């Protein structure tokens, strides 16, 4: 049976499990397993996720007076070493469909209990095209010795 994979919904939490943001219907989620102690999760999204970038970078706080004068918001990115110290938890959910009749065949959930941001693609600003921003995280072993879990449920 040939299968099609739907878009994925991705949920990103801080290290304590508080939800930071969710990305609905992302363009793609790729999981790369590299060796026995490292996994990589790359999320491609057509929406610019300001909330995630504010947590990863440094959001410059303004006084109310400054906000009234200048409506723009600035997010700064310093050392990648400092950015890579922020720990996240990631859940990505999707379904597969039978290519012949489009009926759901499996629910798939990808879980990383301990992930660190390692990069973001440049924001492409091409006129007339949807911009795709790519966020990459490395998953490290959690307390149970897993760095990425993949759960599937047959429907």
């Amino acid at each position: 049976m040939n299968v099609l994979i739907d878009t994925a919904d991705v949920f990103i939490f801080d290290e304590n499990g508080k939800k930071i943001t969710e990305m609905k219907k992302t363009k793609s989620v790729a999981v790369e397993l590299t060796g026995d102690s490292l996994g990589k999760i790359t999320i491609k999204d057509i929406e610019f996720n300001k909330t995630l970038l504010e947590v990863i970078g440094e959001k410059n706080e303004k006084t109310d007076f400054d906000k009234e004068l200048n409506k723009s918001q600035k997010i700064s990115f310093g050392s990648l070493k400092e950015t890579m110290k922020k720990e996240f938890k990631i859940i990505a959910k999707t379904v597969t469909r039978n290519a012949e009749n489009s009926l759901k065949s499996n629910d798939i959930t990808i879980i990383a209990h301990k992930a660190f941001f390692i990069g973001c693609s440049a924001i492409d600003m091409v006129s007339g095209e949807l911009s795709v921003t790519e966020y990459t995280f490395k998953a490290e072993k959690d307390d149970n010795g897993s760095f990425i879990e993949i759960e599937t449920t047959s429907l």
Side-chain angles (χ1 to χ4, degrees):
M1 173 177 70
N2 292 329
V3 296
L4 304 171
I5 297 178
D6 272 357
T7 58
D9 294 336
V10 178
F11 306 87
I12 300 181
F13 304 83
D14 68 12
E15 64 184 312
N16 298 313
K18 181 180 177 194
K19 187 188 293 183
I20 295 170
T21 191
E22 59 185 68
M23 299 177 201
K24 294 290 192 175
K25 299 189 184 303
T26 59
K27 185 170 175 67
S28 71
V29 175
V31 175
E32 182 181 341
L33 306 177
T34 55
D36 63 351
S37 62
L38 178 67
K40 190 164 79 170
I41 299 174
T42 302
I43 304 160
K44 291 183 182 179
D45 198 12
I46 57 172
E47 291 185 18
F48 178 76
N49 196 306
K50 181 180 166 195
T51 305
L52 179 58
L53 292 177
E54 286 174 346
V55 172
I56 292 168
E58 296 291 325
K59 179 179 167 185
N60 296 334
E61 297 296 330
K62 293 183 177 183
T63 65
D64 291 335
F65 177 79
D66 290 334
K67 287 178 188 174
E68 192 60 37
L69 288 175
N70 185 353
K71 304 284 186 200
S72 68
Q73 178 66 50
K74 188 185 291 185
I75 303 169
S76 302
F77 297 90
S79 164
L80 188 57
K81 284 184 180 181
E82 290 302 313
T83 301
M84 289 175 62
K85 291 180 183 176
K86 295 179 182 177
E87 186 175 325
F88 299 93
K89 297 176 185 288
I90 300 171
I91 299 172
K93 296 181 178 184
T94 191
V95 297
T96 60
R97 296 184 181 277
N98 182 317
E100 295 167 11
N101 60 20
S102 294
L103 294 176
K104 286 185 181 181
S105 55
N106 289 296
D107 282 329
I108 298 175
T109 303
I110 299 166
I111 305 161
H113 293 278
K114 189 174 184 179
F116 297 88
F117 177 79
I118 59 172
C120 180
S121 68
I123 299 162
D124 265 344
M125 295 185 195
V126 180
S127 179
E129 294 182 19
L130 289 175
S131 175
V132 175
T133 305
E134 186 175 294
Y135 308 92
T136 304
F137 295 83
K138 72 173 181 171
E140 292 186 353
K141 285 188 177 181
D142 61 17
D143 296 337
N144 297 322
S146 300
F147 51 100
I148 291 178
E149 297 173 0
I150 299 175
E151 296 178 357
T152 63
T153 306
S154 295
L155 301 174

